[in-house]
Amino acid sequence: MNAFIKQAPSEVSIHVAEISDLPFYNEDVEENAIPETVQGLKNKIEVADAVIIATPEYNRGTSGVLKNAIDWLSRPSGQNSLKEKLVLIIGASTGARGADVAQYDLKRTLLYMNARVMGQPEFFLGLAKEKFDDEGNLIDETTAKHINKALEALLEMVDLKK
């Protein structure tokens, strides 16, 4: 995600939403009041022109923390923050496949939620340790080109949406 932020055009701002502090989704909690951290995330998503979701892959699926955030974003019933929201899903892994199964797992959920999930270009970054230096800076030119292609496609879709 940091490489996407660094390569975004100057007129584009990408903000990382913190999801590690969200409580576990619980319908009983939701009935009383949406937690402040959840409402803050919902507000950020709702005002964004588009969303980029970066997913790791754990056991052939997305992380529980990310799935928890998405479950909260769909609540309360009828107030789905991702409905009609343009979403680009990206993933990276140290393995060769670049979190491809996790991305498809996530796409299935988001499509059910009526998010506008981008089909192309897909962004799977395998062997990620070889593409970054020790400080986390992208050093692979081919990956940089793929990031630019994904950002250009996303920005084109945002303009079409307006």
Side-chain angles (χ1 to χ4, degrees):
M1 184 57 89
N2 289 333
F4 273 75
I5 293 168
K6 287 180 182 176
Q7 288 194 217
S10 60
E11 68 274 8
V12 173
S13 60
I14 300 175
H15 304 276
V16 176
E18 180 57 52
I19 63 172
S20 65
D21 58 349
L22 299 177
F24 290 122
Y25 175 73
N26 180 327
E27 192 170 0
D28 295 335
V29 170
E30 173 197 337
E31 287 180 8
N32 295 324
I34 296 293
E36 193 174 308
T37 54
V38 172
Q39 191 58 57
L41 176 63
K42 288 177 71 63
N43 294 343
K44 287 178 184 176
I45 296 297
E46 289 167 7
V47 300
D49 292 324
V51 176
I52 300 172
I53 298 177
T55 183
E57 184 168 298
Y58 301 134
N59 300 314
R60 301 280 187 219
T62 194
S63 74
V65 173
L66 180 55
K67 179 64 169 72
N68 182 62
I70 289 168
D71 289 343
W72 272 118
L73 288 170
S74 73
R75 306 303 297 173
S77 182
Q79 296 179 32
N80 173 5
S81 299
L82 288 165
K83 182 178 181 182
E84 299 299 322
K85 187 63 65 176
L86 179 60
V87 179
L88 170 64
I89 300 172
I90 63 173
S93 71
T94 56
R97 295 176 57 164
D100 61 344
V101 180
Q103 288 189 48
Y104 284 118
D105 184 42
L106 190 53
K107 286 177 183 180
R108 180 180 46 85
T109 299
L110 292 172
L111 288 170
Y112 173 76
M113 294 172 62
N114 286 326
R116 294 179 51 226
V117 179
M118 290 183 59
Q120 294 292 323
E122 293 182 303
F123 186 86
F124 305 107
L125 181 60
L127 306 173
K129 281 188 176 181
E130 299 172 10
K131 313 284 170 64
F132 296 89
D133 65 19
D134 291 339
E135 286 79 45
N137 298 304
L138 182 64
I139 57 173
D140 183 69
E141 284 300 315
T142 301
T143 300
K145 289 177 186 174
H146 288 295
I147 290 171
N148 288 335
K149 182 178 176 183
L151 285 170
E152 287 171 11
L154 178 65
L155 294 173
E156 181 179 315
M157 292 293 292
V158 167
D159 283 343
L160 292 174
K161 182 178 146 189
K162 290 183 178 179

